[in-house]
Amino acid sequence: DKIEEVNLGDEETEEEEDVDAISLEARIVARRIKELLNPDVKTGKIFKVLDKETGEYRPLKYKDIVILLRVTKNWSELFLEELGYEGIPVYADTGTGYFETIEIRTIMSLLKIIDNPMQDIPLVTVLRSNIGKFTDNDLVTIRLNDKYDDFYTCLLKSRISVEGELKEKIETFLSNLKMWQEEQEYLALDELIWKIYSDTGFYNYCGLMPNGNLRQANLRALFERAKQYEQASFKGLYNFIKFIDKLKLGSGDLGSAKLIGENDNVIRIMSIHKSKGLEFPVVFLANVGKQFNMQSLKIDPILLHSKLGIGMKYINHNIQVEYDTNAKIAVKNKLIQESISEEMRVLYVALTRAKEKLIITGISKDYEKDIEKIKKQVQIYGKVENKINPILLKKCKSYLDWIMLVSVYNKF
């Protein structure tokens, strides 16, 4: 649609930059979605799409929009979070992210402090949630009672030193915590979890949040998993918490509850691979600034190719040196060429999914600098048979580089 320059600074780590960049990009996508769904400010016109059932044009709906990502793991959660903040119904069938959802994080944190309240991070998570209803200023006031003790001890000290509304919040929270600690001694784990939902109103609260049906389904899934766990040989809150922690470390995550059907009016986030063969009225191709994953080709000491065979480093232990052999260089170059060809095919799939409108978004640390660099490369390498020089394609590190290359080439 248009290109916006975003500078991220140079002091952050690569991982932090990625997270900040994707969150910022998700906000831009959310803003653009709202622009499409609302009447144009200048003309008052509404963006319409062709209805496949009636054959007539109608106003755009959430379900007409899909957000495509090259990689959904980690990044889809950031898009879900940012679009959720804007009140946009969105769903991502990634098969992961269950333990990272706000509702499950909150309840698991509460279960942890019921078992042992002297855990600062789970305690503050619950206090800041709708269960505790503590504000940031409340938490600062509590911490100022003792800067060096654990937060639960600070909470107990604040119970005596503060007055007014904050004192009532602390009394209510500590009273509920004591009640749940007593009940976990004799209640089945699933009964305790459902009672927490009822006592706090958290289940109904999640139903009022964006994607409320999905959030409630996630909470019900946790209840069912606790019930199944109680039927096994191990029992008790402590063992269940350890079981979940091991599950997160071992298999990574569990899939979120699946509630979304074809006709549900929500925006879908999916990988480009999953979109193959499908078409959508409006497509956001996002995160095109993400670099191709060629790291393993650079650092792996041994590379394998189905036709060229094995490429290895040469290591001389006597003089403590190592370098790539000609065989490894040949294998590496072949694998890079094949990876680039695969990425081109994937990009082609992404660019051909939209029926009415395609919007491409990506983050560049220094857009003007990138454009100037590509302009110089185009001038140096020129054209081959009136086409882009293949050498330039290999120099590009992301879909965004390819898109900018085409833009520069067309003006060359």
Side-chain angles (χ1 to χ4, degrees):
D1 236 41
K2 53 187 176 182
I3 298 176
E4 298 184 31
E5 179 183 358
V6 180
N7 290 316
L8 299 177
D10 298 324
E11 296 182 358
E12 298 170 313
T13 65
E14 183 178 348
E15 183 177 353
E16 288 171 339
E17 287 175 357
D18 285 341
V19 171
D20 289 343
I22 298 301
S23 296
L24 178 58
E25 187 174 343
R27 288 177 214 145
I28 294 172
V29 170
R31 185 183 68 189
R32 193 71 182 90
I33 288 171
K34 286 187 173 182
E35 290 175 358
L36 289 173
L37 289 166
N38 295 318
D40 187 88
V41 177
K42 295 181 179 179
T43 64
K45 294 183 178 180
I46 297 177
F47 182 75
K48 294 184 178 182
V49 296
L50 184 65
D51 192 301
K52 63 181 180 181
E53 295 179 359
T54 64
E56 298 179 355
Y57 280 88
R58 57 164 174 77
L60 181 71
K61 298 180 181 179
Y62 287 120
K63 67 179 182 179
D64 301 317
I65 303 173
V66 67
I67 299 172
L68 298 183
L69 299 171
R70 179 65 177 90
V71 178
T72 55
K73 185 178 180 181
N74 298 328
W75 305 137
S76 62
E77 281 79 23
L78 294 172
F79 270 82
L80 284 170
E81 187 174 353
E82 293 295 337
L83 269 64
Y85 285 150
E86 297 295 330
I88 297 173
V90 59
Y91 174 75
D93 183 9
T94 60
T96 60
Y98 178 77
F99 292 120
E100 297 305 317
T101 57
I102 296 173
E103 61 276 9
I104 298 302
R105 278 208 316 260
T106 302
I107 294 299
M108 286 306 303
S109 294
L110 180 54
L111 292 177
K112 287 180 179 179
I113 63 172
I114 289 173
D115 178 63
N116 176 15
M118 301 182 77
Q119 302 179 77
D120 285 1
I121 294 177
L123 178 58
V124 173
T125 299
V126 176
L127 292 176
R128 290 188 76 250
S129 71
N130 187 261
I131 294 175
K133 297 184 175 66
F134 286 76
T135 66
D136 289 340
N137 288 336
D138 292 338
L139 297 179
V140 170
T141 302
I142 293 170
R143 169 50 74 190
L144 289 176
N145 273 275
D146 194 323
K147 298 179 182 179
Y148 304 102
D149 219 331
D150 65 88
F151 210 88
Y152 180 67
T153 303
C154 291
L155 195 65
L156 296 176
K157 292 179 179 179
S158 300
R159 186 181 195 175
I160 302 171
S161 61
V162 302
E163 297 293 339
E165 184 181 353
L166 179 56
K167 185 178 181 68
E168 293 179 9
K169 286 182 183 179
I170 295 173
E171 291 285 358
T172 301
F173 180 80
L174 290 176
S175 175
N176 287 334
L177 183 60
K178 183 179 179 182
M179 174 183 67
W180 294 324
Q181 286 174 329
E182 292 174 351
E183 290 173 342
Q184 66 98 14
E185 295 291 339
Y186 58 86
L187 284 179
L189 184 56
D190 57 312
E191 293 176 359
L192 174 66
I193 290 174
W194 198 260
K195 189 173 186 302
I196 289 172
Y197 294 167
S198 177
D199 291 343
T200 60
F202 190 68
Y203 183 82
N204 293 330
Y205 169 76
C206 287
L208 299 174
M209 295 173 68
N211 300 324
N213 290 338
L214 180 61
R215 296 183 189 280
Q216 287 185 329
N218 284 335
L219 291 173
R220 290 196 301 272
L222 182 65
F223 165 78
E224 291 294 337
R225 281 162 181 153
K227 188 174 184 179
Q228 293 169 5
Y229 181 80
E230 284 282 278
Q231 294 172 352
S233 57
F234 294 102
K235 296 183 183 297
L237 179 57
Y238 174 79
N239 288 324
F240 180 70
I241 292 170
K242 292 299 179 186
F243 166 73
I244 295 296
D245 287 341
K246 287 182 180 179
L247 192 63
K248 289 168 66 177
L249 291 173
S251 59
D253 213 331
L254 296 175
S256 297
K258 306 298 187 292
L259 279 185
I260 304 301
E262 183 180 353
N263 295 319
D264 288 300
N265 192 26
V266 299
I267 294 173
R268 287 162 175 79
I269 299 175
M270 64 174 63
S271 67
I272 297 173
H273 280 294
K274 282 191 176 182
S275 73
K276 192 172 183 179
L278 304 175
E279 286 186 324
F280 311 92
V282 177
V283 171
F284 282 84
L285 175 56
N287 196 17
V288 296
K290 178 177 173 56
Q291 294 192 1
F292 303 138
N293 185 12
M294 304 284 187
Q295 190 65 21
S296 61
L297 300 180
K298 297 177 182 178
I299 64 175
D300 287 357
I302 300 175
L303 297 178
L304 302 175
H305 189 270
S306 57
K307 293 183 178 179
L308 297 184
I310 300 175
M312 297 181 290
K313 280 183 175 246
Y314 172 79
I315 302 175
N316 190 321
H317 294 284
N318 294 327
I319 59 176
Q320 297 293 304
V321 297
E322 64 176 39
Y323 55 84
D324 291 344
T325 61
N326 290 335
K328 187 184 178 187
I329 293 172
V331 171
K332 181 171 70 172
N333 289 338
K334 186 64 175 178
L335 291 174
I336 289 174
Q337 181 182 347
E338 291 177 354
S339 296
I340 290 174
S341 298
E342 173 61 18
E343 292 297 344
M344 282 186 177
R345 288 189 287 269
V346 172
L347 179 59
Y348 173 79
V349 169
L351 295 176
T352 54
R353 297 308 95 201
K355 292 193 291 184
E356 308 275 348
K357 195 173 189 66
L358 172 64
I359 300 173
I360 303 173
T361 65
I363 296 293
S364 172
K365 293 181 183 178
D366 193 333
Y367 163 70
E368 292 182 352
K369 182 179 178 181
D370 290 344
I371 286 289
E372 287 302 317
K373 179 181 177 181
I374 291 174
K375 283 181 179 178
K376 290 180 180 179
Q377 290 176 342
V378 171
Q379 290 172 355
I380 293 172
Y381 293 100
K383 303 176 182 179
V384 177
E385 298 179 356
N386 206 33
K387 296 180 180 179
I388 296 175
N389 193 321
I391 295 176
L392 292 176
L393 301 178
K394 294 182 179 181
K395 290 183 175 295
C396 294
K397 298 180 180 179
S398 67
Y399 293 155
L400 182 59
D401 287 346
W402 278 341
I403 293 167
M404 291 192 294
L405 173 60
V406 172
S407 176
V408 170
Y409 172 82
N410 288 334
K411 298 174 184 178
F412 181 62

